[in-house]
Amino acid sequence: MKRAATLAALVCLLAATAAAPALPDAGARPDRHYGSLLDSVPRKGVLKVCTTGDYAPFTKLDPAGKKYSGVDIEMARDLAKSLGAKTKFVATTWANLTKDVAARRCDIGVGGVSITLPRARQVYFGEPTREDGKTPIVRCADKGRFGAGTLKDIDKPGTRVIVNPGGTNEEFARAHIKRATITLHPENTTIFQEIIDGRADVMMTDASETRYQSRIHPELCSLHPEKPFTFSEKAYAIPRGDDEFKAYVDQFVHLATHDGTYAKYEAEWMK
C-alpha cells in the first residue's frame, strides 16, 4: 500500500514537472530578447547606426542625401571595422533618436548626442566623447547688442530666438526664454542662415556647434563658448540591457579619446 502511494506521488511530480514552463538558461538576462550585439554584429557583418545627419561637425548628410560625414560618423565606421562589420546608417530625428535605439531599429545612435536623464531612461550611454554646453551664436554685427551674452541680455522683448525642434536646444530655450520670441525652424542644416539673413537673432546650441558654424560662416560669432551656460557630455546611445556591447563601446571610446583618434577627426572639422 505504501509502495503504491509512493509511486502515485512520483507520477504526479513528473507530470507537474513536464507541465511547468522551462526555466531560462543559466546566465540568461530576463530583459534580453535579442542576444548581445557584440556577437550578432560580427556575425551579420553590419552595424546599424542611427544618426540625424544635420549636426556638423558630428554628423552631416550631403545635399544629395547619399553620404554621411562628421566626427562621430568616422568613429562609427571605426567601431564597425573593429567588429569586422560595415556601417549601415539609419536616418532619424532628434525627437526619435533614442526611441529608435531603444526599439532596436539600429544598434547604436551617434552624432553629437547629449546625455540627458530623460534619454538615459530609454537607452544606455557609453563613455563620454567630450564635454559641451549651451552657448549663444549671433550675427557678429550684433555682438554689442547682446552685451556679455547672458540670458538676461538675450531674453528681452524684440529678440528673436530660433531653435530646432525635438532636442536639448528646444528644451533649453523653453526653460529659460520667457520674454523674447522663440521660433521653431525644422531644418537644422539651414537654421544658421536664418540668423545670417536677419530673420532671427540668436540661437543657443552646443558650444562645439557654435565654434564650427562661426568658422564656416564668418558673419556669425559664438559668444563665450569657453564658458557655456550649461554642462553636458556627448556620448553614443546603446540599447538598454546589452551590457557586453556597452562595455565594448566604452573601451573603444576610451582608447579613441586617449590615443588621438577622436582628436584627429575633430581637428579635421574645427581647423
Side-chain angles (χ1 to χ4, degrees):
M1 195 73 172
K2 184 183 290 187
R3 184 179 179 185
T6 302
L7 288 173
L10 180 60
V11 169
C12 290
L13 178 61
L14 290 172
T17 302
L23 293 173
D25 294 337
R29 288 282 302 269
D31 59 346
R32 176 80 53 73
H33 304 292
Y34 302 91
S36 177
L37 290 166
L38 188 58
D39 301 317
S40 63
V41 168
R43 185 170 63 249
K44 295 176 181 178
V46 176
L47 178 71
K48 293 185 294 181
V49 182
C50 275
T51 194
T52 62
D54 65 354
Y55 188 24
F58 303 105
T59 175
K60 181 180 179 182
L61 181 62
D62 68 31
K66 295 181 179 180
K67 185 177 180 181
Y68 287 93
S69 60
V71 177
D72 287 339
I73 299 301
E74 294 306 320
M75 287 281 285
R77 291 188 175 115
D78 286 354
L79 175 62
K81 185 178 180 180
S82 76
L83 292 166
K86 294 182 178 181
T87 51
K88 178 181 179 181
F89 293 105
V90 180
T92 187
T93 64
W94 287 109
N96 292 322
L97 190 148
T98 51
K99 295 176 186 176
D100 286 342
V101 174
R104 296 281 181 142
R105 296 187 183 95
C106 48
D107 305 321
I108 192 168
V110 312
V113 185
S114 297
I115 300 173
T116 69
L117 293 179
R119 286 173 175 172
R121 294 179 63 183
Q122 296 179 309
V123 296
Y124 281 169
F125 278 105
E127 179 165 319
T129 55
R130 73 182 328 275
E131 293 182 4
D132 222 324
K134 302 302 178 191
T135 201
I137 186 168
V138 303
R139 287 181 297 277
C140 294
D142 285 347
K143 282 182 67 176
R145 171 183 171 186
F146 295 106
T150 66
L151 284 169
K152 185 177 180 180
D153 293 327
I154 293 168
D155 190 20
K156 295 178 178 179
T159 299
R160 298 164 298 173
V161 176
I162 195 165
V163 65
N164 56 315
T168 57
N169 289 340
E170 181 181 8
E171 180 183 330
F172 180 82
R174 298 288 185 197
H176 295 91
I177 298 301
K178 305 302 179 184
R179 304 176 69 199
T181 301
I182 297 176
T183 301
L184 292 181
H185 187 75
E187 295 294 332
N188 203 37
T189 54
T190 60
I191 196 168
F192 296 96
Q193 193 63 43
E194 296 295 297
I195 303 174
I196 293 171
D197 292 342
R199 290 184 289 272
D201 302 314
V202 185
M203 182 177 179
M204 290 178 288
T205 184
D206 293 325
S208 54
E209 185 177 31
T210 66
R211 283 190 171 107
Y212 171 74
Q213 290 295 334
S214 62
R215 183 181 69 80
I216 64 172
H217 297 298
E219 310 96 320
L220 299 178
C221 285
S222 174
L223 305 183
H224 55 77
E226 70 289 346
K227 292 183 179 180
F229 294 133
T230 62
F231 166 82
S232 66
E233 292 178 312
K234 296 191 180 302
Y236 303 142
I238 301 161
R240 280 177 50 182
D242 197 338
D243 297 327
E244 293 92 341
F245 186 59
K246 180 184 181 300
Y248 185 86
V249 173
D250 283 348
Q251 191 60 59
F252 167 81
V253 170
H254 182 77
L255 293 172
T257 53
H258 286 76
D259 67 7
T261 300
Y262 185 89
K264 179 187 73 172
Y265 292 145
E266 196 169 72
E268 291 171 357
W269 285 81
M270 295 298 194
K271 63 185 177 182

